[in-house]
Amino acid sequence: LGKNVDNVSHSNPVFAFNVYPPAFHSPEESVFENLKIYRNGYLGLFGHLNKNLKFVNLYLGDNGRYSIRLNQADGFVFKDSTIVGVSPGEDRPPICTQGTANMTAMILGPVKFPMYEISGTTEGVVFDGVTFKHWTEQDTGCGPT
């Protein structure tokens, strides 16, 4: 995937950024700089069975149920990024009022499965200089997140 700079993904009904099987297992790190993901219906950034993705100056905001969901992902880095629950003045009703569960900033499941032949030590997920904003019950209109 190489290096990607200044991309935007918004107003998608379900997923904004989705890396899913057959997966991405590059031995080289792929870098996404200044990626903006906002106002998506269900999920901002989803990775499943992936490895070696780095996000620098990522902005995630107002993304339905989840901002980040990683399942069986390894070697993910989030650096100098901002993750916003509900921006002040956001006019969409909270997702929890639409019959689903509360909003969640992130779900992390960095587990490896031998069937995909991902070798090496588990690197997990790194958050370096990441700011979380507007996730209180007053901000989201939902219960605790």
Side-chain angles (χ1 to χ4, degrees), residues 43-62:
L43 204 153
L45 189 149
F46 182 52
H48 182 67
L49 296 171
N50 309 125
K51 182 176 178 175
N52 293 336
L53 295 175
K54 182 176 186 176
F55 299 88
V56 179
N57 197 32
L58 168 69
Y59 175 84
L60 283 161
D62 306 302

Side-chain angles (χ1 to χ4, degrees), residues 15-31:
F15 300 119
F17 184 96
N18 185 9
V19 184
Y20 204 80
F24 177 76
H25 299 149
S26 174
E28 304 296 321
E29 183 176 71
S30 291
V31 179

